[in-house]
Amino acid sequence: MPTPLHSAPPGRLSDLHVRRFEPLATPSEVVADIPITDPAAATVAAGRQEIRDALAGRDPRLVVIAGPCSIHEPTSALEYAERLARVRDTCRDRLIVVMRAYFEKPRTTVGWKGLIYDPARDESYDVNRGLREARRILREINALGLPCATEFLDPIVPQYTADLVSWVAIGARTTESQTHRQLASGLSMPVGFKNATDGSLRPALDAMTAARTAQAFLGIDPEGQTSIVRTKGNPDVHLVLRGGASGPNYDREAVSEARALLDRACPFPRAILVDCSHDNSGKDYRRQPAVFAELAGRVREGEGGILGLMLESHLVEGRQAIGPDLVHGRSITDGCIGWEQTEDLLRGANEQWTMMKEQMDPGVRRGDAP
């Protein structure tokens, strides 16, 4: 005789492990509550175009994406953004500075999944509050004239926040996901696919091909209606090198190998963004500056193919466990370098490129385009 299915009520065969369903605000409701402003919209549009121009080789500046591993509360995020916005203005002739604003965290097993899912950090999972907080933070960062970068994990989230984002990553754990490749095909901004956690490039290259192709998949529309989403394909996809289980992949040989593969998979002359953290730093945040300095120097010396660099950075270096007495501006996920070191790296790179340009062309003065 068959074993009863978890003592289910007679006739019930679905949702056996679901405790309850809760209503979720629709994207249009959240957007109406926190509408994009004209200054924020101008920042988003300009940020996307700057990155597209850099990908295509029309803009020689280096893209630098810097910011917390994850944003866990608004105050420190906006303080960081105000500082980074000032550096962006100072370095805009040589660098395209974008703030890393991540609200979703992939987990190998369990743990805090990000501000969108658990804004109170107490497993209350007030997603309606988290979506609004994330949108409000993005709007305020963009209002400073500072474009935002993020990673999308849940395919529903972009309907709530994507109009405030200039660059998106698809992470190492999700690059192989058909769902995320389809999602990327409909996004309105450039998308970088990270190499797989084992270091292999093939999943990211395949993802780029899929994302450039028109797709049809299940999703929601702005009213929250379950829909068939039909996309055009996203032409602005590229590769993010983040190292892997076999070690770093930012050395000249690894970048050269990636460029050779990209010549067949991607039309852009600058289609490689290097993540200075994760396995490229041996998962030691203190090694990020050395990776950044080496790559910035190689770009300055003429190494091609590199679109930009990413840093995990916050106001205070290191990381801390979630608890009642959090240090203001310190990461609660991966360790980050501190603000002073971040500013020194960006200003130093800008200064070195400016000096090099002036030496090559004495007629060039600071403030001129590269």
Side-chain angles (χ1 to χ4, degrees), residues 53-358:
D53 287 343
L55 271 169
R58 296 186 296 267
D59 189 331
R61 292 179 294 171
L62 187 71
V63 176
V64 178
I65 299 172
C69 172
S70 61
I71 290 175
H72 64 272
E73 53 84 23
T75 306
S76 61
L78 295 174
E79 181 180 338
Y80 182 98
E82 289 170 356
R83 297 184 187 188
L84 191 64
R86 290 193 290 269
V87 173
R88 172 179 163 88
D89 287 342
T90 302
C91 300
R92 67 184 318 119
D93 291 334
R94 310 292 176 220
L95 307 177
I96 300 170
V97 177
V98 180
M99 180 164 165
R100 180 185 163 108
Y102 281 36
F103 303 103
E104 302 176 83
K105 294 304 297 178
R107 290 298 174 192
T108 302
T109 54
V110 295
W112 184 70
K113 295 194 296 183
L115 183 140
I116 283 178
Y117 301 99
D118 190 12
R121 305 181 299 278
D122 61 0
E123 300 185 3
S124 57
Y125 302 112
D126 188 350
V127 177
N128 281 310
R129 171 188 162 189
L131 287 166
R132 286 180 167 86
E133 284 198 8
R135 183 169 177 83
R136 189 172 290 108
I137 291 168
L138 288 169
R139 183 178 68 175
E140 293 191 32
I141 294 172
N142 278 287
L144 298 170
L146 180 62
C148 294
T150 198
E151 178 179 345
F152 285 136
L153 290 180
D154 192 298
I156 289 177
V157 167
Q159 286 286 10
Y160 293 85
T161 61
D163 61 321
L164 289 161
V165 174
S166 292
W167 183 88
V168 162
I170 301 298
R173 293 175 180 85
T174 46
T175 285
E176 293 190 69
S177 159
Q178 176 174 308
T179 298
H180 291 82
R181 295 173 177 189
Q182 292 170 162
L183 168 67
S185 76
L187 291 175
S188 301
M189 70 293 292
V191 176
F193 286 92
K194 291 193 173 185
N195 63 257
T197 54
D198 65 359
S200 60
L201 303 185
R202 177 49 55 190
L205 298 172
D206 290 344
M208 290 165 59
T209 299
R212 292 177 61 200
T213 305
Q215 302 277 357
F217 55 95
L218 303 182
I220 64 168
D221 68 9
E223 301 306 319
Q225 172 68 50
T226 305
S227 305
I228 302 169
V229 182
R230 300 184 187 275
T231 71
K232 299 178 181 178
N234 186 342
D236 301 314
V237 295
H238 49 283
L239 175 66
V240 180
L241 298 179
R242 48 86 74 199
S246 57
N249 59 5
Y250 66 87
D251 58 273
R252 290 182 188 274
E253 183 178 353
V255 172
S256 177
E257 176 187 350
R259 287 175 60 190
L261 293 170
L262 282 166
D263 283 345
R264 296 189 291 272
C266 178
F268 294 120
R270 298 176 64 196
I272 299 171
L273 190 139
V274 180
D275 182 351
C276 298
S277 185
H278 299 101
D279 286 306
N280 274 335
S281 64
K283 299 184 179 179
D284 181 350
Y285 71 89
R286 293 165 294 189
R287 296 179 62 185
Q288 288 187 88
V291 178
F292 182 96
E294 178 183 331
L295 285 159
R298 282 160 46 188
V299 173
R300 191 172 62 248
E301 292 166 3
E303 183 172 344
I306 298 177
L307 169 69
L309 308 173
M310 181 184 290
L311 290 168
E312 289 193 328
S313 157
H314 212 336
L315 297 174
V316 180
E317 72 166 13
R319 70 169 301 276
Q320 61 189 327
I322 295 176
D325 299 311
L326 293 178
V327 174
H328 176 71
R330 178 173 284 161
S331 174
I332 64 170
T333 48
D334 290 349
C336 296
I337 61 173
W339 172 252
E340 290 76 13
Q341 200 164 30
T342 304
E343 184 175 22
D344 287 346
L345 287 171
L346 299 187
R347 292 189 185 278
N350 180 69
E351 185 74 16
Q352 289 170 2
W353 274 311
T354 300
M355 290 174 62
M356 181 190 71
K357 190 71 175 178
E358 290 177 351

